[in-house]
């Protein structure tokens, strides 16, 4: 079977520097340590997680400094949304220690904490994980729905009740 031929019709010119998939399309960096989580206590080794994230970002970009690696993707003017998954919480979820370390790196490159949003679809799931405990003061933890179906009818372009865009946000 032959692949279909598509003709793109748009009033916009192609970007000189394409956005997605970005500067590093298809690259995956793996970091692993048996010591990152104590399997008997479920305690996360935060210092080791910090080192692993640093190593992964520097490996991905080739930069020697963490700040340079993060600055390739994010600028201090950006509003940053960190999408978490809490559907299996409390044991199976986006690690609050990792989310906190991501936010710490964003603040380190000049992103104000008030421009960092950690979000999930359901408030009931989000409340089972203590993300705020690991985030810098001023960062926001927000859910799209207080109960299932509470956002029905919102346009699909809305992201968890907010439209995020480079340089700001607009609540809907």
């Amino acid at each position: 079977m032959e692949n279909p031929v598509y003709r793109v019709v748009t009033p916009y010119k192609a970007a000189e520097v394409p956005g997605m998939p970005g500067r590093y399309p298809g690259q995956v960096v793996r970091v692993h340590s048996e010591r990152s989580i104590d399997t008997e206590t479920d305690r996360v080794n935060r210092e080791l997680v910090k080192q692993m994230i640093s190593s992964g970002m520097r490996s991905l970009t080739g930069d020697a400094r963490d700040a340079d690696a993060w600055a390739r993707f994010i600028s201090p003017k950006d509003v940053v949304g960190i999408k978490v998954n809490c559907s299996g919480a409390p044991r199976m979820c986006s690690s609050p220690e990792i989310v906190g370390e991501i936010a710490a790196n964003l603040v380190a490159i000049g992103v104000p904490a008030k421009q960092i949003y950690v979000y999930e679809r359901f408030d009931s799931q989000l409340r089972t994980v203590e993300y705020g405990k690991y985030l810098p003061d001023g960062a926001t933890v927000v859910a799209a729905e207080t109960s299932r179906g509470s956002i029905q009818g919102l346009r699909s372009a809305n992201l968890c009740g907010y439209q995020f865009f480079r340089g700001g946000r607009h609540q809907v």
Side-chain angles (χ1 to χ4, degrees), residues 37 41-44 84-97 120 123-131 133-134:
I37 299 175
T41 64
D42 284 341
R43 187 171 192 113
V44 174
V84 295
N85 185 339
C86 303
S87 61
R91 299 199 55 161
M92 296 289 293
C93 62
S94 301
S95 164
E97 293 85 358
E120 171 61 299
D123 186 58
S124 60
Q125 292 175 349
L126 188 57
R127 280 186 275 127
T128 64
V129 184
E130 296 182 29
Y131 290 108
K133 183 171 136 180
Y134 297 90

Side-chain angles (χ1 to χ4, degrees), residues 5 9 30 36 38 42 48-49 55-56 58 70 72 76 83 92 96 122 125-126 136 143 153 157 168:
V5 176
V9 179
R30 181 177 188 262
S36 60
D38 182 326
D42 284 341
L48 188 54
V49 165
S55 173
R58 287 183 288 110
W70 285 92
R72 287 181 180 264
K83 170 63 174 86
M92 296 289 293
F122 298 116
Q125 292 175 349
L126 188 57

Side-chain angles (χ1 to χ4, degrees), residues 22-40:
R23 297 181 68 182
Y24 307 97
Q27 279 189 253
V28 174
V29 174
R30 181 177 188 262
V31 290
H32 177 78
S33 173
E34 294 292 333
R35 297 178 300 122
S36 60
I37 299 175
D38 182 326
T39 56
E40 290 186 26

Side-chain angles (χ1 to χ4, degrees), residues 39-118:
T39 56
E40 290 186 26
T41 64
D42 284 341
R43 187 171 192 113
V44 174
N45 181 332
R46 290 179 71 185
E47 186 56 38
L48 188 54
V49 165
K50 179 178 182 173
Q51 291 170 14
M52 292 169 69
I53 290 173
S54 171
S55 173
M57 288 297 289
R58 287 183 288 110
S59 179
L60 175 66
T61 62
D63 289 314
R65 295 179 346 111
D66 291 349
D68 295 334
W70 285 92
R72 287 181 180 264
F73 302 99
I74 306 291
S75 84
K77 293 180 182 178
D78 289 336
V79 172
V80 181
I82 304 171
K83 170 63 174 86
V84 295
N85 185 339
C86 303
S87 61
R91 299 199 55 161
M92 296 289 293
C93 62
S94 301
S95 164
E97 293 85 358
I98 292 173
V99 172
E101 186 57 28
I102 291 168
N105 278 283
L106 297 173
V107 169
I109 63 166
V111 176
K114 68 180 182 180
Q115 292 174 203
I116 300 172
Y117 293 81
V118 173

